[in-house]
């Protein structure tokens, strides 16, 4: 019996011991970095640490103080027995370095490790340790850097230090979001981008630098230096050598020699660069000389002559600088991989996702299938592939652009396929940003480029909630209003879409958007900063109303409402220092020209009798005299060449002065359409009309041909101006437009 009692007592003692041990270990693994605004901790960084690591230590000190009110000292020597946060691997305790091989960390890879007492934030050079600090602040303490003005720093007097072992590296080696807001150095640093367009200073970690950035052929072999004496160095196009808006002759040995020498000069001049660009100019006009053409024909792509040229430079460079990498584009006419030529190991392919569907993700849309195939093909033959993708409408930086499904899904798609870098080209509005949701897009891109597995929708929701506060429900509803309209498979819009071509800017949608923003403004009352952010979010809606007014859309904005709307637009533009509204300031991005078009909008006629479609399969229908040209009678019926019955139908739409035949007629390819209306004039006078068309157009007034323009073009108001004598009484105008490809319709205004 005594033996049994003794055994029982021993079991109880062991149980008590284990309980106390667990409590002790739990206490040990739940240390207090800061307790009630006080701390015994110090931040250690080696005296021989890099400038970036020392900056990381100060960054941690700053934000711990902002969070808790406690300022931990930054030291270069530790006090025996005193707990510390170790910044960088140098002189960190052995127990925190167990199984860690610092030399195997990539440039931006880091580890967050704690035994419950000490904390290690360390990584590869140059940015890993800094990103470890930012990772700890964001992932474990909840800090956020949403915009240049809006940050989130949770307030907590006590910060617990739990056991941690978190090792991270970015989903992409190169990460750049082309928004002015994202080029703010501190914002980019905190959101762990490494842009090349405006590099982060070395003191803040530096960037992934590409030199020159893109389209380098004329930088390699300047036409102003060589074309006059050596036109053979440049593209032969239709039998003529071109030294402007073209390319190089890639099989000319002298071109190779000059370009190679220039690359060597760049390498010496720019030791900071990670990669050097040897890539085609923008546009086409590739060389068609017999030698270049032979390679391209054999390879089944113009990437054949390009890659053969780049490989030869890479081979020469590699013998002198084995660690240097070159980069070349797979863009437009070079997007298709060559049949047999393979990129050299030191050549990175930069594949461009140019002008595909913007409404739907790459993986979920048939329009992207050729591109999906090309990604796979390039990945099979190249060691390194980066992507240049496009996430804006280049001609309309302020137009609503509901492409969030691509933003949310395509970054993960690229990461899953081993793409090593991503340049997301967005609406980079000079000089201060301010494009449609550009701050939101920049932040979401930054998070996904670092960790492509994050939930894109949750990121969008988080940003909206924190940046728009009490107005966020209405901003979210507005985003949903636009995006639900583009979900159907048949919807398409791209990076050059015109407002009249998309399905999500109709009058009812803009009216609903206006209502939502009125509620958002009401919710922001009393908060000047929030009201300013809501105002900037509203700018695309205001822009849309003004744009449609400028082309006759009086249903969006009446003449009486125009002065107040335009004054408000000017005020927001000035406040945010917006200088251009599209990619090219001199043309479609010209802000002053847009305002002038609004202020001086003519009277557009959108009430017509329409008849069509008539056959244009031979492309000669514009010049053929068809039945409607024999005299306008709205009761007249016609029979087309294929036996279809056609009659005049009344049409009127105040949403736009553009008469969109493509939406009104079926079939709408290789066809002809007519529009007719009458003018009643009290006295004879000369009238001036503006005509714009897609494609060719003929206009008759009272049976007399006054305009004959056989062209292939995109319609814009007032592309042609005609002055016509009008008689007293009734005058008839007949418009004929042919369809050659894609869109089809016309504008008709009185000037």
């Amino acid at each position: 019996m005594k033996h049994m009692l003794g055994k029982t007592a021993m079991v109880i003692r062991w149980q008590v011991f284990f309980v106390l041990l667990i409590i002790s270990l739990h206490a040990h693994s739940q240390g207090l970095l800061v307790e009630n605004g006080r701390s015994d901790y110090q931040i250690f960084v080696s005296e021989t640490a890099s400038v970036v690591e020392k900056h990381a230590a100060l960054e941690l000190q700053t934000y711990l103080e902002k969070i808790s009110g406690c300022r931990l000292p930054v030291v270069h020597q530790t006090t025996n027995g005193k707990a510390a946060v170790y910044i960088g691997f140098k002189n960190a305790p052995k127990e925190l370095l167990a199984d860690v091989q610092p030399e195997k960390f990539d440039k931006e890879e880091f580890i967050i490790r704690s035994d419950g007492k000490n904390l290690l934030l360390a990584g590869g050079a140059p940015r890993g340790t800094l990103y470890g600090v930012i990772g700890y602040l964001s992932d474990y303490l909840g800090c956020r850097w949403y915009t240049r003005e809006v940050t989130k720093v949770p307030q907590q007097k006590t910060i617990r230090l739990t056991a941690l072992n978190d090792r991270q590296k970015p989903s992409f080696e190169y990460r750049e979001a082309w928004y002015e807001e994202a080029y703010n150095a501190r914002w980019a640093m905190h959101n762990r981008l490494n842009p090349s367009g405006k590099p982060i200073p070395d003191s803040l970690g530096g960037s992934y630098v590409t030199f020159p950035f893109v389209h380098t052929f004329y930088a390699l072999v300047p036409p102003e230096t060589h074309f006059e004496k050596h036109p053979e160095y440049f593209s032969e196009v239709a039998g003529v050598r071109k030294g402007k808006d073209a390319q190089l002759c890639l099989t000319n040995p002298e071109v190779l020699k000059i370009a190679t020498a220039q690359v060597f000069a760049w390498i010496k001049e720019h030791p900071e660069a990670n990669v050097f660009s040897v890539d085609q100019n923008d546009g086409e006009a590739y060389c068609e000389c017999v030698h270049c053409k032979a390679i391209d024909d054999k390879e089944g792509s113009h990437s054949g002559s390009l890659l053969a040229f780049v490989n030869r430079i890479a081979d020469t460079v590699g013998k002198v600088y084995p660690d240097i990498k070159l980069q070349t584009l797979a863009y437009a006419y070079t997007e298709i991989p060559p049949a047999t030529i393979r990129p050299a190991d030191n050549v990175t392919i930069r594949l461009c996702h140019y002008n595909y569907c913007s409404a739907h993700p790459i993986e979920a849309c048939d329009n992207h299938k050729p591109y999906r195939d090309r990604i796979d093909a390039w990945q099979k033959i190249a060691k390194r592939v980066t992507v240049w993708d496009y996430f804006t409408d280049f001609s309309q930086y302020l137009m609503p652009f509901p492409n969030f499904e691509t933003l949310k899904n395509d970054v993960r798609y690229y990461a899953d396929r081993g793409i090593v870098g991503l340049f997301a080209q967005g609406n980079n509005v000079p000089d201060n940003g301010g494009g449609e949701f550009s701050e939101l897009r920049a932040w979401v891109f930054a998070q996904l480029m670092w960790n492509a597995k994050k939930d894109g929708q949750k990121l969008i929701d988080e940003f909206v909630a924190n940046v728009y506060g009490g107005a966020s429900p209405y901003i979210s509803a507005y985003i949903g209003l636009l995006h639900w309209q583009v979900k159907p498979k048949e919807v398409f819009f791209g990076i050059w879409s015109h407002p009249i071509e998309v399905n999500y800017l109709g009058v009812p949608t803009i009216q609903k958007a206006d209502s939502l923003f009125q509620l958002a403004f009401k919710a922001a009352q009393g908060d000047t900063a929030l009201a300013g952010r809501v105002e900037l979010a509203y700018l695309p809606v205001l822009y849309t109303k003004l744009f449609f007014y400028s082309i006759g859309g009086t249903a969006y904005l009446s003449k009486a409402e125009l002065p107040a709307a335009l004054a408000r637009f000017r005020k927001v533009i000035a406040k945010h220092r917006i200088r251009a509204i599209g990619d090219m300031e001199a043309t479609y991005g010209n802000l002053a020209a847009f305002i002038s078009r609004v202020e001086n909008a003519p009277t557009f006629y959108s009430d017509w009798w329409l008849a069509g479609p008539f056959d244009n399969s031979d492309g000669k229908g514009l010049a053929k005299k068809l039945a409607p040209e024999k005299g306008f009678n709205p009761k007249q019926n016609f029979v087309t060449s294929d036996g279809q019955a056609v009659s005049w139908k009344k049409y009127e739409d105040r949403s736009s002065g553009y008469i969109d035949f493509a939406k009104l007629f079926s079939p709408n390819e290789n066809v002809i359409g007519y529009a007719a209306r009458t003018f009643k004039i009290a006295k004879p006078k000369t009238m001036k009309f503006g005509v714009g068309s897609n494609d060719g157009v003929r206009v008759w007034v009272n049976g007399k041909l006054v305009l004959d323009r056989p062209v292939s073009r995109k319609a814009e108001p007032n592309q042609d101006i005609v002055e016509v004598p009008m008689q007293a009484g009734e005058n008839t105008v007949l418009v004929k437009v042919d369809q050659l490809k894609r869109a089809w319709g016309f504008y008709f205004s009185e000037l």
Side-chain angles (χ1 to χ4, degrees):
M1 188 70 176
K2 279 185 177 180
H3 177 71
M4 291 297 294
L5 288 172
K7 193 171 184 180
T8 301
M10 186 178 292
V11 169
I12 292 171
R13 283 197 299 271
W14 275 108
Q15 288 175 337
V16 171
F17 172 78
F18 279 118
V19 169
L20 292 173
L21 178 62
I22 291 169
I23 292 171
S24 174
L25 288 173
H26 180 71
H28 184 65
S29 63
Q30 293 283 331
L32 296 174
L33 182 59
V34 180
E35 184 176 13
N36 295 323
R38 298 175 62 84
S39 178
D40 292 328
Y41 276 79
Q42 53 193 1
I43 299 171
F44 170 82
V45 61
S46 172
E47 198 162 6
T48 60
S50 69
V51 172
V52 180
E53 288 180 321
K54 289 177 179 177
H55 172 76
L58 295 176
E59 195 74 19
L60 181 66
Q61 181 190 54
T62 297
Y63 277 93
L64 287 179
E65 184 175 16
K66 287 182 178 182
I67 293 168
S68 67
C70 179
R71 185 174 181 84
L72 275 63
V74 175
V75 301
H76 301 310
Q77 290 185 343
T78 56
T79 304
N80 288 337
K82 193 166 186 178
V85 180
Y86 290 88
I87 305 299
F89 290 117
K90 290 182 180 178
N91 303 119
K94 291 181 179 179
E95 56 267 26
L96 290 180
L97 295 176
D99 303 319
V100 172
Q101 296 175 285
E103 69 279 2
K104 293 191 175 180
F105 275 64
D106 288 344
K107 295 178 180 179
E108 299 177 320
E109 186 177 8
F110 65 77
I111 189 166
I112 300 172
R113 175 176 281 189
S114 173
D115 57 5
K117 179 182 178 183
N118 294 306
L119 174 64
L120 174 68
L121 305 174
R127 290 179 285 278
T129 296
L130 175 60
Y131 286 169
V133 167
I134 293 169
Y136 179 67
L137 292 171
S138 59
D139 296 350
Y140 295 95
L141 300 184
C143 293
R144 296 287 189 274
W145 297 269
Y146 294 114
T147 75
R148 292 166 294 185
E149 291 79 28
V150 181
T151 59
K152 178 183 176 183
V153 182
Q155 301 299 292
Q156 53 187 95
K157 289 293 185 180
T158 296
I159 300 175
R160 296 191 176 279
L161 188 59
T162 60
L164 296 171
N165 189 27
D166 180 4
R167 185 165 176 169
Q168 294 186 33
K169 63 189 298 186
S171 295
F172 301 93
E173 178 182 313
Y174 161 56
R175 306 173 302 284
E176 183 162 5
W178 202 64
Y179 301 90
E180 186 62 33
E181 296 90 332
Y183 287 118
N184 177 275
R186 290 196 62 81
W187 185 94
M189 177 200 74
H190 282 130
N191 287 288
R192 293 179 286 192
L193 293 176
N194 54 10
S196 182
K198 293 183 181 179
I200 297 171
D202 288 343
S203 60
L204 300 182
S207 283
Y208 183 98
V209 177
T210 301
F211 187 87
F213 188 61
V214 74
H215 301 314
T216 64
F217 271 4
Y218 284 173
L220 288 162
V221 185
E224 60 272 19
T225 303
H226 299 286
F227 185 75
E228 186 176 350
K229 290 185 178 180
H230 295 284
E232 71 276 11
Y233 290 177
F234 301 90
S235 291
E236 180 182 314
V237 182
V240 178
R241 295 286 179 174
K242 293 189 64 176
K244 183 180 179 182
D245 300 326
Q247 312 293 339
L248 300 176
C249 179
L250 299 176
T251 52
N252 186 301
E254 290 302 311
V255 170
L256 177 66
K257 186 185 299 182
I258 295 167
T260 302
Q262 184 59 65
V263 171
F264 274 102
W266 288 342
I267 292 170
K268 290 181 180 179
E269 294 164 5
H270 295 277
E272 79 281 2
N274 297 83
V275 65
F276 294 88
S277 291
V278 180
D279 48 39
Q280 70 209 59
N281 295 330
D282 211 353
E284 295 201 352
Y286 45 81
C287 188
E288 300 169 348
C289 78
V290 61
H291 303 294
C292 290
K293 187 175 184 302
I295 296 174
D296 292 344
D297 288 349
K298 178 184 176 184
E299 296 297 328
S301 170
H302 298 293
S303 63
S305 56
L306 172 64
L307 206 50
F309 175 75
V310 175
N311 278 351
R312 293 184 71 179
I313 296 176
D315 180 61
T316 304
V317 168
K319 291 173 182 175
V320 181
Y321 298 105
D323 295 328
I324 291 290
K325 293 181 174 64
L326 304 187
Q327 175 176 272
T328 196
L329 292 172
Y331 167 58
Y333 66 90
T334 60
E335 187 180 313
I336 299 172
T340 64
I341 298 175
R342 300 293 178 256
D345 288 352
N346 58 342
V347 171
T348 298
I349 298 298
R350 183 180 247 189
L351 177 62
C352 299
H353 185 216
Y354 182 72
N355 216 16
Y356 289 87
C357 174
S358 293
H360 307 115
I362 293 170
E363 206 160 18
C365 180
D366 290 343
N367 179 265
H368 295 290
K369 186 179 185 309
Y371 180 70
R372 292 196 297 265
D373 293 342
R374 286 160 195 173
I375 287 179
D376 293 342
W378 279 112
Q379 283 288 73
K380 287 177 182 177
I381 67 172
K383 278 205 166 185
R384 292 169 52 84
V385 178
T386 65
V387 163
W388 182 313
D389 208 338
Y390 306 81
F391 294 93
T392 187
D393 186 310
F394 284 100
S395 60
Q396 313 284 338
Y397 277 172
L398 299 186
M399 185 178 84
F401 198 68
N403 69 333
F404 285 2
E405 289 303 308
T406 66
L407 186 158
K408 291 180 334 191
N409 294 282
D410 289 355
V411 179
R412 183 185 298 115
Y413 179 86
Y414 289 134
D416 288 346
R417 276 148 190 81
I419 299 300
V420 299
L422 178 58
F423 176 74
Q425 187 166 1
N427 49 23
N428 189 2
V429 176
D431 286 327
N432 191 49
E436 189 255 6
F437 281 132
S438 55
E439 290 180 317
L440 186 159
R441 296 169 189 276
W443 186 78
V444 173
F445 269 126
Q447 311 319 304
L448 292 176
M449 286 178 182
W450 179 265
N451 182 357
K453 293 181 179 179
K454 286 188 174 182
D455 186 316
Q457 187 58 54
K458 287 183 178 179
L459 291 170
I460 292 170
D461 293 343
E462 178 188 339
F463 182 96
V464 171
N466 285 276
V467 172
Y468 297 106
S472 62
Y474 311 111
I475 303 296
S476 291
Y478 164 69
I479 291 172
L481 171 68
L482 296 181
H483 284 77
W484 276 107
Q485 294 180 67
V486 302
K487 282 185 178 291
K489 290 177 63 176
E490 64 273 12
V491 173
F492 175 90
F493 63 89
I495 61 176
W496 293 103
S497 288
H498 195 280
I500 63 174
E501 298 170 347
V502 301
N503 76 317
Y504 54 84
L505 294 179
V507 174
T509 297
I510 297 303
Q511 289 175 340
K512 289 178 184 176
D514 253 331
S515 298
L516 288 168
F517 272 102
Q518 295 317 306
L519 294 170
F521 283 119
K522 187 175 180 180
Q525 283 180 351
D527 186 333
T528 304
L530 175 57
R533 295 195 291 274
V534 172
E535 188 176 53
L536 186 59
Y538 176 67
L539 183 62
V541 177
L542 183 57
Y543 172 82
T544 299
K545 294 166 69 174
L546 292 169
F547 178 92
F548 277 100
Y549 178 88
S550 77
I551 61 168
T554 54
Y556 289 87
L557 197 66
S558 70
K559 192 168 186 178
E561 294 169 321
L562 174 65
L566 190 55
R568 186 175 191 178
F569 180 79
R570 288 179 182 273
K571 180 181 176 182
V572 180
I573 289 291
K575 178 180 178 181
H576 293 276
R577 307 199 304 275
I578 292 173
R579 195 183 69 227
I581 56 174
D583 185 50
M584 296 184 181
E585 295 177 47
T587 54
Y588 46 78
N590 191 299
L591 176 60
F594 170 74
I595 292 175
S596 177
R597 287 196 300 273
V598 174
E599 290 178 316
N600 301 294
T603 300
F604 286 86
Y605 291 100
S606 58
D607 54 325
W608 297 83
W609 289 90
L610 307 180
F614 296 87
D615 180 58
N616 189 34
S617 55
D618 61 359
K620 299 177 181 179
L622 189 67
K624 292 179 182 178
K625 186 173 182 178
L626 302 180
E629 299 169 35
K630 296 176 182 178
F632 171 59
N633 178 356
K635 296 181 180 180
Q636 187 177 7
N637 296 316
F638 312 100
V639 178
T640 65
S641 59
D642 61 354
Q644 300 297 312
V646 172
S647 61
W648 289 103
K649 294 181 180 179
K650 188 66 175 172
Y651 170 84
E652 182 174 5
D653 185 356
R654 293 192 307 112
S655 67
S656 171
Y658 182 66
I659 314 304
D660 193 346
F661 280 172
K663 292 180 180 177
L664 297 169
F665 291 136
S666 181
N668 55 19
E669 294 184 359
N670 303 313
V671 282
I672 293 286
Y674 287 90
R677 74 182 315 278
T678 58
F679 291 86
K680 286 188 178 180
I681 307 297
K683 296 180 180 180
K685 66 176 180 178
T686 297
M687 297 181 69
K688 184 185 290 187
F689 298 112
V691 181
S693 64
N694 190 328
D695 289 295
V697 61
R698 280 188 164 191
V699 177
W700 293 264
V701 176
N702 296 327
K704 181 180 179 181
L705 184 66
V706 297
L707 178 65
D708 184 10
R709 186 73 71 198
V711 293
S712 174
R713 66 186 179 188
K714 192 170 187 174
E716 296 289 349
N718 308 324
Q719 290 168 311
D720 297 298
I721 309 296
V722 294
E723 292 191 44
V724 184
M726 306 290 276
Q727 63 194 21
E730 191 171 273
N731 296 261
T732 301
V733 175
L734 179 69
V735 179
K736 178 183 184 180
V737 184
D738 69 356
Q739 195 280 334
L740 302 177
K741 56 183 179 180
R742 294 188 288 275
W744 179 35
F746 74 98
Y747 293 98
F748 194 92
S749 63
E750 181 182 341
L751 303 177

